[in-house]
Amino acid sequence: ALDRALGRYEFVKKWFSLILSALILVPGFSQPIVEKDLRLALESRAKKISVILRFKDPQWTRSLETPAQIQKRKMSWIHSSQAKLIADLSPSMKTMESIEKAIPLWVNHSLILTASPVEIKEALQSENILSARLDREMRFLEPPMRKPGLDSSPIEYTYGLRNLEVPRVWKELGITGKDVRVGILDSGLDSSHPDFKDRVLMSRDFASGYEDDQPNDGNGHGTHCAGTLGGGSSSGRAIGVAPGVQFLVAKIVDDTGSAGMSSIMRGMQWIVDPE
């Protein structure tokens, strides 16, 4: 009985593989995956829509390259793919200059495109597009209310540091995060706070109108998280696990607590290769 069951399993597995292979070859099955919300937006009367197009990953041969060489190749590939996609749009659309924004993301082979529904539909005909989604907005969840009197005793370390035994790591191993750079992707960082003095190396704003290298945080979430990670002890109590780290700050959430998907992706790309 077991042999018969195994035989049926192999038979079904074989035919399933053959059917799947056949479907892949049928025209239409290679069309990009378009999320439901974007399909609805494309049928609306919107003048402009911001979308994120994900290209199919290129089939590269493995080679002995340095990370910098691999990055350079990925950047070159996504820029050429973007140029080809825009060039393939009909001449009448290009002369209207209705495409407002096209931002390539080499880090995950994507393109952020702001254009009319007609242009986006045409772009989706490209055989190099894997998927498409709306550049939607997301918001912070409201944090739970803090219980009165929690960890209010006048002691040297916060509750979290004591429970993680962080002071032992500092004293016995001498590890404080010195010479380590940490990327913060959040609502920014208030660099005027004494717990972060002279430890913000670079900052870039992807969510609002603040100038670069002027760290700010009108929301507070990013500063709170950065404090937990690497805040100092200016108040008399140590708050950060690694108070010796330096920060690279990508502001991807605006001061109201809202973040666009494209802002998040652009911030992620910058944080791995800050300019």
Side-chain angles (χ1 to χ4, degrees), residues 138-214:
M138 293 171 285
R139 293 192 62 82
F140 278 145
L141 295 175
E142 290 297 323
M145 296 298 293
R146 181 176 177 180
K147 296 180 180 179
L150 181 63
D151 195 27
S152 59
S153 57
I155 53 180
E156 188 178 358
Y157 306 105
T158 61
Y159 172 87
L161 297 186
R162 296 198 309 273
N163 279 269
L164 290 173
E165 298 191 37
V166 170
R168 286 188 58 193
V169 176
W170 294 346
K171 294 176 181 179
E172 298 178 15
L173 302 179
I175 299 176
T176 63
K178 184 180 179 181
D179 298 325
V180 174
R181 296 180 178 182
V182 173
I184 299 293
L185 295 110
D186 211 302
S187 60
L189 193 155
D190 182 4
S191 60
S192 66
H193 194 291
D195 280 329
F196 305 108
K197 185 178 180 180
D198 300 325
R199 289 200 288 133
V200 179
L201 298 178
M202 298 176 68
S203 70
R204 179 68 61 86
D205 186 356
F206 297 95
S208 49
Y210 292 103
E211 294 185 10
D212 296 333
D213 293 324
Q214 293 187 7

Side-chain angles (χ1 to χ4, degrees), residues 10 14 28 37 39 62 69 73 81 115 144 160 202 254 262:
E10 291 298 327
K14 176 181 177 181
D37 289 347
R39 290 199 300 269
R62 290 174 177 248
Q69 290 171 327
R73 181 170 62 171
S81 298
M202 298 176 68
D254 67 21
S262 60

Side-chain angles (χ1 to χ4, degrees), residues 51-251:
V51 299
I52 299 173
L53 305 178
R54 173 73 188 273
F55 289 91
K56 296 176 182 177
D57 291 336
Q59 299 299 315
W60 284 327
T61 303
R62 290 174 177 248
S63 59
L64 298 177
E65 292 180 299
T66 65
Q69 290 171 327
I70 294 173
Q71 176 181 327
K72 184 177 181 180
R73 181 170 62 171
K74 292 178 70 175
M75 293 173 72
S76 175
W77 184 87
I78 189 62
H79 280 285
S80 63
S81 298
Q82 172 207 347
K84 183 179 185 304
L85 180 66
I86 300 301
D88 287 344
L89 294 177
S90 64
S92 61
M93 292 178 183
K94 286 186 289 185
T95 55
M96 291 168 57
E97 297 184 351
S98 51
I99 295 176
E100 291 182 353
K101 182 172 62 174
I103 303 174
L105 296 172
W106 59 265
V107 75
N108 66 344
H109 302 150
S110 295
L111 178 70
I112 302 168
L113 180 66
T114 301
S116 69
V118 173
E119 290 165 325
I120 292 173
K121 286 180 180 179
E122 186 166 351
L124 291 175
Q125 300 305 309
S126 171
E127 61 181 11
N128 291 325
I129 301 299
L130 176 66
S131 63
R133 62 172 59 188
L134 276 175
D135 179 16
R136 59 171 50 87
E137 292 284 321
M138 293 171 285
R139 293 192 62 82
F140 278 145
L141 295 175
E142 290 297 323
M145 296 298 293
R146 181 176 177 180
K147 296 180 180 179
L150 181 63
D151 195 27
S152 59
S153 57
I155 53 180
E156 188 178 358
Y157 306 105
T158 61
Y159 172 87
L161 297 186
R162 296 198 309 273
N163 279 269
L164 290 173
E165 298 191 37
V166 170
R168 286 188 58 193
V169 176
W170 294 346
K171 294 176 181 179
E172 298 178 15
L173 302 179
I175 299 176
T176 63
K178 184 180 179 181
D179 298 325
V180 174
R181 296 180 178 182
V182 173
I184 299 293
L185 295 110
D186 211 302
S187 60
L189 193 155
D190 182 4
S191 60
S192 66
H193 194 291
D195 280 329
F196 305 108
K197 185 178 180 180
D198 300 325
R199 289 200 288 133
V200 179
L201 298 178
M202 298 176 68
S203 70
R204 179 68 61 86
D205 186 356
F206 297 95
S208 49
Y210 292 103
E211 294 185 10
D212 296 333
D213 293 324
Q214 293 187 7
N216 60 85
D217 185 5
N219 180 275
H221 189 276
T223 302
H224 174 87
C225 291
T228 301
L229 193 153
S233 56
S234 63
S235 65
R237 177 186 298 182
I239 62 172
V241 172
V245 299
Q246 296 175 307
F247 295 100
L248 299 170
V249 182
K251 185 181 178 74

